[in-house]
Amino acid sequence: MSDSSSPSNKHHHAHHFDSAEHEFDASKFGIWVFLCTEILMFGGLFVGYIFYSGKYPEIFEAGSQFLDWKLGAINTAVLLLSSFTIAISIRNIQMKQKKAAMRNMIITLVCGLVFMGIKYKEYTHKFHQGIYPGKYFNYQPHGAEHSSKDANSHGESKGEHGKVEHMDSLPENIALYFSFYFVMTGIHGTHVIIGMGLILWCLIRTRNDEFGPEYYTPLEGAALFWHLVDLVWIYLFPLLYLI
Amino acid sequence: MSSTPGKNYLNEKSGLWSWLTTLDHKRIGIMYMISVLSFFFIGGVFAMLMRLELFAPGALFEGNTYNQMMTYHGTIMTFMVIIPGVPAFIGNFVLPLLLGAKDVAFPRVNLMSWYCLMVGAAISFLTLFFGGVDTGWTFYTPYSIQTNGTVLMVLGAFVMGFSSILTGLNFIVTVHKLRAPGMDFFKMPLMVWALYSTAIIQVLATPVLAITLLLLASEKLLGVGVFDPALGGDPVLFQHFFWFYSHPAVYIMILPAMGIISELLTTFSKKTIFGYRAIAFSSVGIAAVSFFVWGHHMFVSGQSELAGVIFSFITMLVGVPTAIKTFNWVATLYKGSIEFRSPMLYALGFIFLFTIGGVTGIILATLATDVHFHDTYFVVAHFHYVMVGGTLMAITGGIFYWFPKMFGKMYSEFWAQMSFLFVFSGFNITFFPQFILGATGMPRRYHQYLPEFTSLNQISSIGSWTIGIGFLIALGVIIHGLLKGEKAPKNPWGGLTLEWTADSPPIHENFETTPVVTAGPYEYGR
């Protein structure tokens, strides 16, 4: 950040590696191992999801009616685009196209912001309806409709309202669905924010000329992480929205 | 880098700050040593107090206090002592040396793992100021959701889990990428195989604990109800999740200890290890099977009978690679020129105690007998035979084995042997009666018992004091060796693995020139 005075992308490898390639290989391997731990962690949530959706399919079916699949689809598209742009930015670095690399990283970051913005919208809308996880769930089919109209004058969820009105009686323990919804998307959202932080850091380092064809390991790692975050969402979207 | 004469990793830089910011795997190993031994002392004090209470029930503590001491003893000993004990402490120090490498693959990640352990431990100890935790180290729901302090404790364990993951990740990459020229996988010392298998478990199992503990915390904070039957959740799912980590975790504890034993036995019998490949593959085999046996903790938790039968069968399979190791170790001793130095005594003690622990494990893996033994002192005796009689004996033996390499000093052999005598005999006095107590029906985790259990409990408590004396002697030997020990030669035991070709203590980069490996690790009589 401050040491932009030395524009050199000559990276000296650490003393315990034979060469820069050796270090790059090891680092990339390490990142892949780390991604395995991420998959195992989300795996726990998916196992829980499978267990409960098998046990109470009606809860998950009813719960998903409260989500707007269009918003989920937009977010899926946004993340897919961002995965593409971050991959291209690595190619740009390899081709010494600093400007283009930075532009692609910025597009990735904007995509991340759009994703989080839409998530924020979805969350606040649910909170206005009284949809909270587990024991704090206090959605009232009629009372909540008023409050949601008051709080949310935008018609962003017209489709949802139509469906919700038909459901006079919600299945027992429907809050369990929202427990999974909030925990899964919450942890995923945390990963999106961390990923954005990593990409921002790479953006700054690119601006400071620290990356070049010989050395771009952090960007490679951040991009792999971002792809994983994208991949997790690709599973979350159908599991939560498209039941 | 130049190697100035008289310079080594200990005196190259000085000052506390140089330690707290070090990237040298050996220094990080020593920092782990200090932390793990301190935690061991604290956890040990809790254990002694529990045994004191059981010497004369009701005289010392109330039930609540006892439950808290039991919880802290368990949590400290598992998460802060045995799990980091071999990989993060001894492994950190010896792994690059055994491989002929200058450091682990990611030195900064390595340092971060130490800070994760420290921060996690600090958070866990904070619970003491908020009324304490009395759930036992397993945090079973629904009780753990109803009590206070669980969230902090669980957060601490979560952060400590990162320490374990980072160490495992580092070791996997180090073994793959940083072996000395000429060292293929089958020229690696067996300690490396063991650490590698352990690292795989750490990386694959710990994230599941992380998500389990996150769910438990959000159960308490957000009321998500995933484990709460009132909201449609299922407490047994918590047990599945918890043991999916915690059963492989017991192999995080024992596998690297087995690696130490392989090193000690060959060096002190001056003989090529018997069945190198069998021992190496059995490490990987145990790591693989470890992921499919968690259900044996839940035979009486209401899982399906079919699941019980399957888990029982797979659990018995663990006995196969374990027995392969044990038989190979014994075969290694056969016709060797055995030297009864203190590390060797600990290794032999390991084989004796671990075998008892392992065989009683088969009894517990059997469905019908487990219903009788479940949640009795039989289980307590069983896992202490494996964890203390196995892992802690191996760690102590490992400390005495690599002490000259770590500090360049020798220690008092006589007192080291005395420590073994006390620990070994005290251990059997403490825990063997517990097999009988359990078999005759004394349940675990109670601060009181029926009058007919009195004499065996008192014998057990007397044994605990003997163990305590033994470990205090060992601590004294270490401190005395550090202060007054004679200068250690490069290779005091005649070991053939690479660390003995480095200086004692090694220089910052471990070896003057990168070693080139041409022969297997244990080729005595070459």
Side-chain angles (χ1 to χ4, degrees):
Chain A
M1 289 150 232
S2 58
D3 55 8
S4 54
S5 53
S6 57
S8 143
N9 51 31
K10 290 267 188 310
H11 177 73
H12 294 284
H13 57 90
H15 77 108
H16 54 291
F17 289 108
D18 300 334
S19 63
E21 292 81 56
H22 190 202
E23 185 173 36
F24 179 73
D25 280 353
S27 305
K28 205 168 160 180
F29 186 27
I31 292 157
W32 277 104
V33 176
F34 176 73
L35 295 186
C36 290
T37 72
E38 289 281 2
I39 290 169
L40 263 294
M41 196 196 75
F42 279 105
L45 283 176
F46 284 119
V47 168
Y49 177 95
I50 292 165
F51 174 67
Y52 285 115
S53 62
K55 204 170 166 187
Y56 315 112
E58 70 285 358
I59 292 181
F60 283 76
E61 208 183 317
S64 71
Q65 305 295 314
F66 284 82
L67 304 186
D68 187 350
W69 68 270
K70 287 176 202 125
L71 291 178
I74 294 172
N75 264 349
T76 311
V78 163
L79 275 193
L80 279 173
L81 173 68
S82 72
S83 252
F84 176 71
T85 51
I86 196 72
I88 294 294
S89 81
I90 294 182
R91 188 68 193 147
N92 293 143
I93 291 283
Q94 287 170 337
M95 308 288 282
K96 296 190 181 173
Q97 299 158 335
K98 180 183 163 187
K99 280 236 171 75
M102 286 176 67
R103 192 178 60 229
N104 279 318
M105 283 182 224
I106 290 169
I107 296 174
T108 312
L109 283 175
V110 170
C111 288
L113 278 177
V114 170
F115 179 90
M116 289 311 291
I118 292 179
K119 249 334 352 115
Y120 174 79
K121 264 290 200 212
E122 288 185 284
Y123 268 41
T124 46
H125 178 60
K126 297 220 165 26
F127 294 156
H128 286 308
Q129 287 182 307
I131 297 177
Y132 293 99
K135 70 174 173 192
Y136 298 109
F137 183 83
N138 64 350
Y139 174 78
Q140 305 295 336
H142 295 290
E145 216 182 323
H146 294 296
S147 68
S148 75
K149 266 180 189 160
D150 299 342
N152 251 345
S153 50
H154 306 290
E156 56 142 25
S157 50
K158 270 177 202 155
E160 258 182 69
H161 281 278
K163 282 177 196 163
V164 172
E165 272 172 318
H166 291 298
M167 270 189 274
D168 299 324
S169 60
L170 293 171
E172 201 192 354
N173 292 331
I174 188 169
L176 197 60
Y177 170 82
F178 291 102
S179 297
F180 273 99
Y181 170 77
F182 281 114
V183 171
M184 288 173 121
T185 57
I187 294 178
H188 177 262
T190 313
H191 279 78
V192 172
I193 293 170
I194 294 170
M196 286 167 66
L198 291 173
I199 291 168
L200 183 65
W201 171 62
C202 289
L203 180 67
I204 293 166
R205 291 189 69 176
T206 310
R207 195 195 62 190
N208 294 347
D209 290 314
E210 288 177 48
F211 294 150
E214 298 84 27
Y215 176 70
Y216 56 91
T217 315
L219 179 61
E220 177 86 21
L224 281 172
F225 182 80
W226 191 256
H227 295 319
L228 179 90
V229 171
D230 185 13
L231 189 66
V232 171
W233 177 257
I234 287 172
Y235 282 91
L236 286 181
F237 172 54
L239 284 181
L240 293 170
Y241 290 75
L242 304 179
I243 306 176
Chain B
M1 253 180 245
S2 63
S3 57
T4 331
K7 282 283 180 195
N8 58 51
Y9 82 99
L10 288 170
N11 62 16
E12 196 188 43
K13 286 179 189 148
S14 60
L16 183 65
W17 188 246
S18 77
W19 281 86
L20 292 178
T21 57
T22 185
L23 298 179
D24 186 331
H25 71 97
K26 299 180 287 297
R27 284 189 159 208
I28 295 172
I30 299 300
M31 298 203 304
Y32 265 115
M33 176 181 185
I34 296 167
S35 3
V36 165
L37 291 185
S38 315
F39 293 140
F40 179 55
F41 183 79
I42 301 170
V45 168
F46 279 119
M48 305 287 278
L49 289 174
M50 284 157 70
R51 279 313 326 167
L52 207 58
E53 158 72 19
L54 292 174
F55 189 82
L60 214 51
F61 304 111
E62 287 178 15
N64 274 343
T65 321
Y66 180 86
N67 290 346
Q68 290 188 359
M69 290 194 303
M70 175 197 81
T71 304
Y72 284 97
H73 169 69
T75 313
I76 291 170
M77 288 302 197
T78 33
F79 292 116
M80 304 179 205
V81 180
I82 321 187
I83 286 183
V86 193
F89 153 36
I90 294 184
N92 238 321
F93 190 90
V94 301
L95 179 69
L97 286 163
L98 288 168
L99 290 173
K102 289 174 182 160
D103 208 321
V104 291
F106 309 117
R108 268 179 293 189
V109 172
N110 201 13
L111 182 65
M112 195 162 93
S113 81
W114 183 77
Y115 279 103
C116 283
L117 182 72
M118 290 299 108
V119 171
I123 295 173
S124 304
F125 283 122
L126 266 184
T127 54
L128 280 169
F129 302 102
F130 293 96
V133 179
D134 62 350
T135 58
W137 79 282
T138 49
F139 313 120
Y140 267 19
T141 53
Y143 180 63
S144 57
I145 307 166
Q146 292 154 7
T147 51
N148 294 317
T150 318
V151 170
L152 261 186
M153 187 59 118
V154 156
L155 188 68
F158 180 80
V159 178
M160 286 189 276
F162 273 96
S163 162
S164 193
I165 288 177
L166 294 176
T167 303
L169 187 156
N170 222 333
F171 283 10
I172 290 180
V173 179
T174 306
V175 170
H176 274 279
K177 298 287 179 186
L178 291 180
R179 300 190 307 277
M183 182 181 283
D184 59 36
F185 261 68
F186 294 104
K187 288 198 180 77
M188 297 193 312
L190 287 166
M191 175 74 174
V192 177
W193 276 95
L195 286 170
Y196 181 71
S197 314
T198 310
I200 290 175
I201 305 180
Q202 286 178 302
V203 162
L204 294 184
T206 320
V208 180
L209 177 75
I211 194 67
T212 311
L213 298 180
L214 272 184
L215 280 173
L216 189 65
S218 46
E219 190 89 19
K220 181 88 181 159
L221 296 174
L222 308 173
V224 295
V226 176
F227 304 130
D228 185 353
L231 296 165
D234 190 344
V236 178
L237 184 69
F238 175 82
Q239 298 184 20
H240 277 292
F241 275 169
F242 182 81
W243 289 114
F244 184 85
Y245 164 75
S246 294
H247 197 80
V250 309
Y251 300 104
I252 296 178
M253 305 173 196
I254 197 67
L255 265 177
M258 291 166 157
I260 296 178
I261 298 307
S262 302
E263 300 297 319
L264 301 189
L265 287 178
T266 35
T267 302
F268 291 103
S269 23
K270 293 285 171 295
K271 187 164 161 261
T272 311
I273 192 138
F274 189 88
Y276 170 89
R277 285 192 183 218
I279 296 182
F281 283 127
S282 65
S283 288
V284 183
I286 291 175
V289 177
S290 75
F291 284 99
F292 304 100
V293 298
W294 78 89
H296 67 223
H297 294 270
M298 301 164 57
F299 284 157
V300 296
S301 295
Q303 68 182 5
S304 78
E305 279 172 32
L306 179 67
V309 171
I310 294 170
F311 279 126
S312 169
F313 175 73
I314 306 176
T315 304
M316 300 219 186
L317 284 184
V318 181
V320 176
T322 314
I324 288 176
K325 277 182 192 292
T326 313
F327 290 134
N328 280 305
W329 287 330
V330 176
T332 304
L333 295 174
Y334 179 68
K335 287 191 175 170
S337 14
I338 297 174
E339 256 184 292
F340 288 103
R341 304 296 295 246
S342 44
M344 183 61 161
L345 291 179
Y346 275 100
L348 295 173
F350 173 99
I351 295 183
F352 185 80
L353 299 178
F354 179 77
T355 306
I356 296 179
V359 171
T360 50
I362 296 292
I363 298 174
L364 290 171
T366 312
L367 271 172
T369 46
D370 182 68
V371 175
H372 177 66
F373 289 122
H374 188 86
D375 264 350
T376 68
Y377 261 83
F378 193 91
V379 179
V380 176
H382 155 70
F383 70 74
H384 279 89
Y385 262 83
V386 185
M387 300 288 95
V388 185
T391 308
L392 278 180
M393 297 286 276
I395 292 179
T396 321
I399 291 177
F400 285 134
Y401 181 61
W402 282 297
F403 183 88
K405 188 55 64 188
M406 287 174 180
F407 302 106
K409 300 269 181 73
M410 298 303 287
Y411 51 85
S412 159
E413 176 64 23
F414 173 78
W415 286 104
Q417 295 195 4
M418 287 306 283
S419 79
F420 169 76
L421 201 67
F422 275 88
V423 171
F424 183 78
S425 54
F427 179 83
N428 284 298
I429 299 170
T430 310
F431 291 104
F432 201 82
Q434 295 186 3
F435 279 126
I436 305 166
L437 283 171
T440 47
M442 179 172 164
R444 62 191 281 203
R445 295 189 163 178
Y446 284 90
H447 67 294
Q448 279 175 328
Y449 45 77
L450 296 173
E452 62 259 37
F453 298 130
T454 307
S455 54
L456 283 174
N457 264 298
Q458 290 185 342
I459 294 173
S460 182
S461 294
I462 293 169
S464 76
W465 307 332
T466 322
I467 304 182
I469 293 171
F471 278 122
L472 284 178
I473 295 175
L475 184 67
V477 172
I478 291 170
I479 293 172
H480 181 263
L482 278 176
L483 299 176
K484 298 250 171 81
E486 290 169 37
K487 196 174 168 358
K490 261 189 180 183
N491 190 356
W493 320 122
L496 290 188
T497 38
L498 286 177
E499 79 272 31
W500 303 112
T501 63
D503 288 342
S504 297
I507 57 169
H508 170 60
E509 297 211 309
N510 292 346
F511 302 95
E512 299 279 345
T513 52
T514 306
V516 177
V517 179
T518 51
Y522 308 110
E523 296 188 3
Y524 287 94
R526 172 157 46 100

